Amino acid sequence: MVQEQLITRGIHDGRVLEAFRKVKRELFVPENMVGSAYDDSPLPIGEGQTISQPYMVALMTEALGLKGGEKVLEIGTGSGYQTAILCELARDVYSVERLPTLAERARKILEECGYRVHLKVGDGSLGWPEFAPYEAIVVTAGGPKIPESLLRQLKDGGRLVMPVGDRFIQELLVVTRSGQRLEKQSLGGCKFVPLKGKEGWDSTGEEEYQ
Ligand code: SAM
């Protein structure tokens, strides 16, 4: 997976590649999906949600530029796979999931793997203000715009990665804060499940697969 799906597509951060070699994706997919755990695609994890394509997880993680000492906030714990990757790369990881069943399953697997991680069930479009600011924020669901709450919780010099667009197609944005200035860069098109919540999409629409 690392060679064929990540390195050939340009993922080059050695620490990120090492994390992908170490974290076993099959532990984070439902039992009936274990045979497809290393497929080059997202997979369903229940509740209409997905574990993202490995390359997309790697691209978003690499864009955060983690060196090892950071406090990171992830919005959308999902299966817990990206949470585990982040735990390998940063000092403290905080992750928010709105669906309790997914959050519980992720908590169990992450604990079994021995990761020390802070998990919460709630509306991640509002971030997790109690522990802000964060050096890095990654949103693993697509929203109509970058939530103001998340921008407020991003530390000076910090980076935020998030898919932004409509419910069907988004652009993967990297935002770097420098003082009051926000620099935006696009990493290209992507397709994620919707970020629901106060600063995301409302909770009435149908769920879409990534
Ligand atoms: N990073 C995850 C993984 O590796 O499995 C991928 C998660 S999936 C693509 C996106 C997740 O975002 C879903 O589990 C969904 O329930 C969650 N989500 C959507 N809106 C949310 C919100 N407002 N707060 C927290 N989680 C949210």
Side-chain angles (χ1 to χ4, degrees):
M1 175 182 90
V2 168
Q3 179 62 40
E4 281 174 21
Q5 297 178 33
L6 308 189
I7 296 175
T8 55
R9 288 182 178 136
I11 304 295
H12 59 267
D13 182 325
R15 294 183 69 242
V16 172
L17 296 171
E18 204 39 51
F20 274 81
R21 287 193 185 96
K22 187 164 169 197
V23 178
K24 295 186 168 42
R25 197 167 185 254
E26 73 260 25
L27 298 178
F28 296 87
V29 302
E31 248 171 57
N32 62 337
M33 287 282 153
V34 167
S36 309
Y38 294 93
D39 285 4
D40 188 13
S41 66
L43 296 171
I45 55 172
E47 308 252 5
Q49 303 303 320
T50 54
I51 175 172
S52 303
Q53 176 196 30
Y55 170 67
M56 196 48 73
V57 178
L59 184 65
M60 293 173 95
T61 305
E62 186 173 71
L64 295 173
L66 300 172
K67 299 281 179 276
E70 298 85 356
K71 182 166 37 156
V72 180
L73 175 65
E74 177 191 37
I75 306 303
T77 316
S79 68
Y81 178 64
Q82 183 151 16
T83 322
I85 296 280
L86 294 171
C87 286
E88 292 288 337
L89 296 168
R91 191 193 66 214
D92 283 314
V93 178
Y94 292 79
S95 186
V96 185
E97 169 58 54
R98 64 180 274 276
L99 297 173
T101 48
L102 294 185
E104 246 344 281
R105 197 168 66 200
R107 182 189 300 281
K108 190 165 170 282
I109 301 165
L110 289 162
E111 260 175 31
E112 280 168 11
C113 292
Y115 292 112
R116 200 182 57 84
V117 54
H118 311 271
L119 300 177
K120 169 170 117 159
V121 175
D123 179 4
S125 73
L126 303 175
W128 195 341
E130 290 88 337
F131 299 100
Y134 303 93
E135 280 96 3
I137 299 179
V138 61
V139 185
T140 71
K145 64 178 179 54
I146 298 172
E148 285 299 323
S149 298
L150 296 185
L151 291 174
R152 274 197 300 276
Q153 292 168 37
L154 185 63
K155 196 171 179 175
D156 195 11
R159 285 192 197 174
L160 179 151
V161 179
M162 174 175 170
V164 176
D166 62 29
R167 278 177 179 255
F168 304 101
I169 193 94
Q170 304 91 32
E171 202 177 353
L172 190 58
L173 295 184
V174 184
V175 177
T176 308
R177 172 180 287 292
S178 101
Q180 287 312 303
R181 238 188 49 232
L182 297 170
E183 276 170 30
K184 281 188 196 160
Q185 189 201 340
S186 170
L187 294 181
C190 56
K191 189 165 167 51
F192 276 79
V193 293
L195 177 76
K196 303 278 182 78
K198 274 214 168 98
E199 293 196 48
W201 298 104
D202 65 33
S203 295
T204 52
E206 288 291 301
E207 300 278 0
E208 299 97 14
Y209 270 57
Q210 181 197 339

